[in-house]
Amino acid sequence: MRIEVGNPRTDSSPVKPFPSFFLALWFASALPSPGADLPFQSQNPPAMQPIASRDTPAYRAARKFLRGVNLGDYLEAGPDWAIRVSAEDIRQIKAQGFDHIRVPVGWHRYSSPAPEFQLSREIFGKVDFVVTNALAHGLAVLINIHHFREFDADPAGSADQLVAIWRQVAEHYKDSPETLAFEVLNEPHDKATTAVMNDIYPRVISEIRKSNPSRTLFVEPGNWGNIPELQNLVLPPDDNVIVSVHCYDPFHFTHQGTSWGGPDVKVTGFRFPGPPETPLTIATNVQAAPWVHDRVKQYNTQPAGNNPVSATAFREKLRQARAWSDHYGRPVHIGEFGCYYKVDAESRTRYYEQFRKTAEELGIGWAIWDWSANFRYWDREKQQPLPGMREALFGQPSNP
Ligand code: BGC
């Protein structure tokens, strides 16, 4: 597939926390926790100061970011794997029932060298196209900085560039409607730990606030926006900040067969939810680590309520996010969840439906990854949603 060529999550690039760290998290999250309904307890002082009010600008804004879609593999992608997006796509996004678009942007690839880090007119033109069309359709828009690998590798050395980019982007959009929001950085990871970001976020936020005193901002915790990292986040007392997290659990289901998911997603054939009617066997030409064999065994044998390929894999994490949010008075948002388009279609739609329903039961806004690329909702050839996707996300038939 053209859009897979050059995807940054290849073997030579960093991947999501996988396998060791991710494995540990996955094991933990796959088991029902007796503390699931307990309120959030800070484990990592000095903890962030809670905000008592639930009528803050952030909470009001969060109501406009409830059902979203990522324009993935577009403005953050290289020219050889980027998809095309037209005004008709944006009209369709609105017509399908989404209320917001998250637009990943590779601003850093359009910036001149230090110390100016001047952004090109070309990238502003591209982002303006999406922002203008989305706002015209009544969609809220979230623009971010995506795949800023140099930053993740060296946050201290790249912080000036991050601040300079946001100074220009914020200045450019300062008169835009309030339904345009900025997300400071996609999936901080590697050296960009939550603790490191706790020092850098206030710097960027105060820079943006010079031109956009009341713009809604989104930030993510480290380790790829991973929910357990929320407990390490310490934000300034700004009351217009929404905290966004990413969740692709169960990863072996959502990323099975992807070229960028790491060496342990080579086993394919997981269906959602487990256990399967016919046990999954690992193909003889796939070299799987011992724990992957163990995982397949659990998938084949564990009952539905406790199966690693089921809502059990994400429900507890989403509850944790809710509990953290309630404790600190910061709304949370799921900026990415989704499943590879080559996965068995019925399993895929069941997964999207259960994830979406779980998030909504917990009152958390979500944005699927993605519109029409590798985790697609939309069939570009047929100009309609993939079968079952509209029902999964909106409870409505695809062709009303
Ligand atoms: C990345 C995409 C990837 C997706 C699913 C996103 O965060 O930007 O490149 O396809 O996650 O792994």
Side-chain angles (χ1 to χ4, degrees):
M1 282 286 306
R2 182 175 58 86
I3 50 180
E4 285 173 313
V5 175
N7 190 306
R9 287 242 184 91
T10 58
D11 289 347
S12 59
S13 301
V15 292
K16 293 203 183 228
F18 201 93
S20 53
F21 194 87
F22 188 85
L23 180 60
L25 294 172
W26 195 33
F27 267 106
S29 64
L31 301 169
S33 157
D37 296 323
L38 292 177
F40 174 81
Q41 301 264 322
S42 169
Q43 294 169 22
N44 212 359
M48 177 167 73
Q49 284 306 307
I51 294 179
S53 172
R54 295 298 181 268
D55 188 30
T56 61
Y59 275 98
R60 289 196 290 275
R63 290 183 216 128
K64 304 204 166 102
F65 290 87
L66 295 176
R67 299 176 300 275
V69 60
N70 276 276
L71 284 182
D73 290 10
Y74 176 44
L75 298 182
E76 86 285 21
D80 49 343
W81 55 284
I83 60 156
R84 294 174 67 86
V85 171
S86 66
E88 174 60 12
D89 281 295
I90 296 170
R91 192 190 70 75
Q92 279 293 357
I93 287 172
K94 175 71 178 180
Q96 290 302 308
F98 295 102
D99 66 3
H100 71 282
I101 301 184
R102 180 170 179 262
V103 191
V105 185
W107 296 102
H108 51 289
R109 293 196 283 104
Y110 297 82
S111 105
S112 71
E116 289 82 11
F117 300 115
Q118 177 89 38
L119 292 170
S120 72
R121 291 165 66 115
E122 183 191 357
I123 188 60
F124 277 118
K126 289 171 192 250
V127 180
D128 284 352
F129 164 77
V130 185
V131 169
T132 308
N133 275 283
L135 293 174
H137 283 294
L139 289 157
V141 194
L142 175 55
I143 57 176
N144 77 0
I145 298 185
H146 208 91
H147 291 328
F148 192 179
R149 305 255 181 254
E150 300 84 349
F151 183 93
D152 296 312
D154 180 14
S158 304
D160 286 351
Q161 187 177 7
L162 185 71
V163 171
I165 288 172
W166 277 115
R167 182 186 311 122
Q168 296 167 75
V169 175
E171 185 66 35
H172 183 84
Y173 291 110
K174 67 178 191 302
D175 296 324
S176 296
E178 62 180 14
T179 42
L180 173 68
F182 303 152
E183 182 181 73
V184 176
L185 184 71
N186 175 67
E187 296 187 343
H189 61 275
D190 195 6
K191 300 266 172 39
T193 62
T194 309
V196 166
M197 296 313 295
N198 287 344
D199 288 336
I200 293 178
Y201 280 143
R203 235 189 108 189
V204 181
I205 290 172
S206 64
E207 188 63 40
I208 294 173
R209 287 282 173 252
K210 289 179 190 165
S211 56
N212 289 251
S214 53
R215 175 82 45 210
T216 300
L217 305 180
F218 284 62
V219 300
E220 294 184 32
N223 200 19
W224 310 85
N226 207 2
I227 291 170
E229 278 297 312
L230 285 173
Q231 67 179 0
N232 298 323
L233 196 60
V234 182
L235 294 173
D238 189 308
D239 66 2
N240 203 358
V241 175
I242 295 173
V243 176
S244 197
V245 291
H246 293 181
C247 183
Y248 283 101
D249 300 330
F251 197 82
H252 288 75
F253 168 74
T254 62
H255 279 67
Q256 58 185 302
T258 57
S259 58
W260 66 96
D264 292 319
V265 292
K266 302 287 177 239
V267 178
T268 57
F270 287 104
R271 295 171 67 89
F272 189 98
E277 276 175 23
T278 312
L280 177 64
T281 50
I282 300 179
T284 47
N285 61 344
V286 172
Q287 292 203 327
W291 70 266
V292 177
H293 282 270
D294 187 48
R295 184 56 38 160
V296 170
K297 189 172 159 199
Q298 288 186 38
Y299 162 68
N300 284 336
T301 56
Q302 289 289 316
N306 200 28
N307 196 282
V309 182
S310 73
T312 307
F314 50 76
R315 192 186 293 118
E316 177 57 15
K317 273 195 178 174
L318 298 191
R319 282 185 189 158
Q320 290 291 333
R322 171 84 260 163
W324 178 90
S325 170
D326 290 344
H327 181 84
Y328 284 114
R330 264 76 168 186
V332 284
H333 171 260
I334 299 159
E336 290 185 19
F337 76 98
C339 179
Y340 192 32
Y341 81 101
K342 289 183 184 170
V343 172
D344 155 65
E346 288 179 2
S347 293
R348 212 177 159 253
T349 52
R350 279 194 292 266
Y351 154 81
Y352 274 99
E353 180 175 29
Q354 288 198 26
F355 194 108
R356 185 269 297 181
K357 284 186 170 169
T358 305
E360 288 181 355
E361 279 160 19
L362 291 164
I364 304 177
W366 48 262
I368 58 163
W369 190 275
D370 58 48
W371 174 241
S372 65
N374 281 319
F375 282 40
R376 70 193 62 154
Y377 171 94
W378 188 247
D379 183 331
R380 271 177 288 169
E381 304 291 314
K382 297 188 176 150
Q383 285 292 299
Q384 63 186 37
L386 290 181
M389 285 297 280
R390 190 153 194 236
E391 293 88 332
L393 295 185
F394 303 107
Q396 291 174 24
S398 287
N399 295 307

